């Protein structure tokens, strides 16, 4: 066991989850990394940063994942920070969504993340403090057509986390937040742009230009920029932000 603090990151093998895992390692945390295929990311971070990294393979909705993450974190000394992340749900219009779509996405986007949080918070309570953060989306505040599962279920998770912030703050200094990306340049957003370009029969540069025109900073966010803010919120430098959904979106959503 080392005296470094332990961070658990789900959805850690690419995009913002991977960037946040790297930033936490750069700041000297030992890591428990999880996703369906976490090994490549774990090997890369272990050799780049010289911290201890345990890879726990599994989808966030798998019922036994939470216990496996808790066991791995406990063996390293107990979790002090938790980033909840996973892939986005299927894209379908509201009238095409079935009961099975809703219940499957509910397991992945709400039940699974909350089960993981419940499994790890006792370790933070034992250490008299901790930080929980979930990756959400700007579409919680400004819903888009076609992604009803994401709009609705991320909002449910964010309000569940706000409730946890109210309940866990007084019980030992656990700060709970969500960090919502706007457009962040990851593989997911590149795939997204490609599929819109095909749908609309225009070039991908046209789709990019249309998107950039809506962002006050006129550029996409970076996984590394997201990760710096996430790592701040997951650290003790964050001594007073809790129960919030913060936007990393270049000024895209200015609504309260
Ligand atoms: N990029 C953006 O601009 C943007 C904007 C708004 C919201 N978001 C949301 O932010 C989250 C992260 O986005 P990203 O762009 O960083 O995505 P990404 O690059 O596609 O990464 C998603 C990560 O989640 C893992 N994952 C997928 N399904 C999982 C599951 N069922 N359980 C556990 N892990 C799972 C993937 O690894 P494995 O394949 O190994 O499981 C991968 O590590 C997503 O939910 C996305 O919808 C992104």
């Amino acid at each position: 066991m080392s005296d470094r603090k332990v961070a658990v990151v789900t959805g850690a093998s690419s995009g913002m989850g991977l960037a946040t895992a790297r930033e936490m390692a750069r700041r000297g945390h030992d890591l428990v990394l999880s996703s369906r295929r976490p090994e490549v990311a774990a090997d890369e971070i272990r050799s780049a940063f010289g911290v201890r990294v345990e890879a726990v393979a599994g989808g966030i909705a798998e019922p036994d994942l939470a216990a496996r993450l808790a066991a791995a974190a406990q063996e390293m000394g107990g979790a002090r920070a938790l980033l909840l992340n996973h892939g986005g749900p299927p894209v379908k219009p509201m009238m095409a969504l079935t009961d099975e779509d809703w219940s499957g996405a509910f397991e992945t986007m709400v039940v699974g993340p909350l089960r993981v949080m419940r499994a790890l918070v006792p370790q933070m309570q034992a250490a008299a403090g901790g930080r929980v953060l979930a990756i959400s989306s700007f579409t919680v505040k400004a819903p888009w057509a076609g992604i009803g599962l994401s709009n609705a279920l991320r909002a449910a998770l964010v309000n569940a986390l706000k409730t946890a912030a109210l309940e866990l703050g007084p019980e030992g200094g656990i700060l709970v937040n969500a960090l919502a990306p706007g457009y962040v340049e990851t593989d997911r957003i590149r795939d997204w742009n490609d599929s819109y370009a095909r749908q609309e029969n225009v070039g991908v540069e046209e789709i990019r230009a249309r998107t950039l025109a809506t962002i006050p900073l006129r550029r996409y966010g970076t996984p590394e920029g997201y990760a710096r803010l996430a790592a701040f919120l997951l650290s003790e430098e964050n001594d007073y932000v809790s129960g919030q959904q913060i936007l990393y979106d270049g000024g895209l959503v200015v609504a309260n």
Side-chain angles (χ1 to χ4, degrees), residues 65-90:
L65 182 75
R68 290 193 289 124
L69 291 173
Q74 190 62 66
E75 202 271 324
M76 284 173 144
R80 300 296 298 275
L82 167 64
L83 180 73
L84 294 166
N85 181 39
H86 51 74

Side-chain angles (χ1 to χ4, degrees), residues 145-209:
I147 55 166
L149 290 174
S150 174
N151 297 335
L153 298 177
R154 289 188 200 278
L157 181 67
V158 168
N159 266 346
L161 294 177
K162 288 183 179 217
T163 312
L166 294 173
E167 295 175 1
L168 296 175
E171 281 180 27
I174 297 172
L175 283 62
V176 185
N177 293 290
L179 181 53
Y183 296 91
V184 175
E185 189 125 31
T186 64
D187 289 345
R188 178 173 165 81
I189 223 70
R190 284 186 279 271
D191 291 347
W192 190 273
N193 283 350
D194 288 345
S195 87
Y196 267 110
R198 278 195 304 277
Q199 235 176 62
E200 307 219 353
N201 205 19
V202 296
V204 74
E205 279 314 311
E206 166 69 21
I207 298 294
R208 246 185 109 79

Side-chain angles (χ1 to χ4, degrees), residues 11 13-14 16 35-37 60 86-87 154 182 184 186 188-189:
S13 65
S14 77
M16 289 173 270
S35 77
R36 292 163 305 175
R37 285 171 295 276
I60 199 154
H86 51 74
R154 289 188 200 278
V184 175
T186 64
R188 178 173 165 81
I189 223 70

Side-chain angles (χ1 to χ4, degrees), residues 66-117:
R68 290 193 289 124
L69 291 173
Q74 190 62 66
E75 202 271 324
M76 284 173 144
R80 300 296 298 275
L82 167 64
L83 180 73
L84 294 166
N85 181 39
H86 51 74
V91 174
K92 262 192 187 181
M94 285 297 292
M95 293 305 118
L97 286 168
T98 63
D99 290 354
E100 290 70 30
D101 289 329
W102 280 106
S103 44
F106 187 65
E107 288 293 317
T108 302
M109 304 190 72
V110 181
V111 178
L114 293 178
R115 189 191 293 123
V116 170
M117 179 173 76

